[in-house]
Amino acid sequence: MTLSELLAPEATRTVPAMTSKKRLFHALGEVASTVYGMDCDRVIEGLLERESLGPTGVGQGVALPHARLDGLTRVHGVFLRLERPVEYGAVDRQPVDLVFGLFAPLDAGVEHLKSLAVVSRTLRDPELCAMLRANDDPATLHTMLIAGRRTIPV
């Protein structure tokens, strides 16, 4: 499982400041709907449902909201770089500005966990996160995510 398998280039976006976590979930749902054909309302419901179990803000300004959804055949990702951080309820109580949403089939099991591990490992790299925060071009962000540390800042 690689990020290039999870994240379509057009599912990588820079978005204006969000007013709330719920509004952020709406933005994730809109991109998932546009790029992958998912039902926007179902994506939002799934993210809110999962978030009610515990926060998906992993710290250092990074959040990994995820949901299992009916009708999917594989795991899909959406990456949003927020122009200004949003309060998220992360484990370190810091606002979030790098968000990688994952959407998996209901029966994904191990595939879902592997995709979460790949994304988590990637976004745990402080140098990569600094490079992502310093860029706002979606194509550049996508390239950086796919390449990881091997990417040279543009």
Side-chain angles (χ1 to χ4, degrees), residues 103-125:
F103 309 101
L106 285 176
D107 61 351
V110 173
E111 183 185 9
H112 184 191
L113 295 176
K114 284 182 180 179
S115 61
L116 272 171
V118 166
V119 173
S120 175
R121 232 182 350 264
T122 301
L123 292 176
R124 224 177 306 159
D125 180 344

Side-chain angles (χ1 to χ4, degrees), residues 11-77:
T12 305
R13 309 267 174 98
T14 298
V15 295
M18 295 284 133
T19 55
S20 67
K21 185 192 298 190
K22 188 171 183 178
R23 180 63 198 119
L24 174 60
F25 288 174
H26 278 268
L28 287 167
E30 289 166 6
V31 175
S33 175
T34 300
V35 176
Y36 303 116
M38 294 180 208
D39 179 270
C40 184
D41 291 335
R42 183 60 198 123
V43 168
I44 297 163
E45 285 174 26
L47 291 171
L48 290 169
E49 208 172 281
R50 167 55 189 89
E51 201 68 20
S52 71
L53 301 175
T56 55
V58 296
Q60 307 302 314
V62 175
L64 306 176
H66 52 279
R68 292 179 191 235
L69 303 170
D70 192 27
L72 297 182
T73 57
R74 67 180 196 87
V75 180
H76 295 285

Side-chain angles (χ1 to χ4, degrees), residues 62-109:
V62 175
L64 306 176
H66 52 279
R68 292 179 191 235
L69 303 170
D70 192 27
L72 297 182
T73 57
R74 67 180 196 87
V75 180
H76 295 285
V78 172
F79 178 78
L80 301 180
R81 179 194 161 280
L82 306 181
E83 290 178 357
R84 277 184 279 150
V86 66
E87 288 303 320
Y88 194 89
V91 295
D92 64 356
R93 296 194 167 108
Q94 296 301 307
V96 162
D97 64 345
L98 300 176
V99 180
F100 200 114
L102 281 172
F103 309 101
L106 285 176
D107 61 351

